[in-house]
Amino acid sequence: MADNKTQATKASVASFVEALADQSRRGDAKALIKLMKKATGEQPKMWGPSIIGFGSYHYKYDSGREGDMPLIGFSPRKAATVLYGLIGSSDSKALLPKLGKHTTGKGCLYIKKLADVDQKVLEAMAIKAVTAPQGCRPS
């Protein structure tokens, strides 16, 4: 079975953020780090080459595949910032209508600019995601 590509690394979060070419993406990344750090009480870590994650949990599927993933995190991509782990609980999903301009995918939340969303709602979603029962995450 192949190893999970998304693993915590020792790469510098600060260096990754400073290397972002788009100044607004860089500012959004710094604000998201502050928000997620507050929600989790954890320091940010790089997961793979482009995900900034906070905390971690261990998962194991019925297939036998298992690994570790961040509780919550994000990746500042060119088209949008992808937020991971924020919409896994029904409490978090209930806040989506109040969030502002966003789209969702399979377990991911996409925002073009942090200014497009209500950051208080986003913070509440992060807190709810972190405090959700383990059953809301793959196990």
Side-chain angles (χ1 to χ4, degrees):
M1 193 173 294
D3 286 338
N4 187 351
K5 292 181 192 175
T6 307
Q7 295 183 19
T9 71
K10 298 213 182 284
S12 166
V13 171
S15 295
F16 173 76
V17 171
E18 289 307 316
L20 294 171
D22 185 291
Q23 185 176 350
S24 72
R25 282 265 185 265
R26 207 167 35 248
D28 285 358
K30 289 176 182 179
L32 284 168
I33 287 170
K34 186 176 179 182
L35 182 147
M36 291 186 174
K37 198 171 166 182
K38 181 178 176 186
T40 63
E42 300 277 349
Q43 293 297 317
K45 278 187 185 172
M46 292 301 301
W47 286 75
S50 62
I51 296 173
I52 299 171
F54 298 80
S56 68
Y57 70 94
H58 188 78
Y59 67 87
K60 184 173 183 177
Y61 295 117
D62 291 339
S63 67
R65 183 176 179 90
E66 63 182 298
D68 296 296
M69 290 296 289
L71 285 174
I72 60 174
F74 70 96
S75 182
R77 303 219 176 125
K78 193 172 188 171
T81 296
V82 184
L83 296 109
Y84 302 99
L86 294 188
I87 58 173
S89 76
S90 57
D91 286 347
S92 292
K93 283 182 185 172
L95 293 172
L96 284 174
K98 299 177 184 177
L99 182 60
K101 201 171 174 181
H102 71 279
T103 57
T104 58
K106 188 178 177 182
C108 297
L109 176 64
Y110 300 88
I111 58 173
K112 298 262 187 205
K113 297 181 291 188
L114 199 52
D116 289 343
V117 298
D118 184 325
Q119 291 183 42
K120 294 278 186 209
V121 173
L122 190 62
E123 183 176 352
M125 290 176 71
I127 291 167
K128 287 181 182 300
V130 170
T131 58
Q134 188 65 30
C136 292
R137 293 185 262 287
S139 54

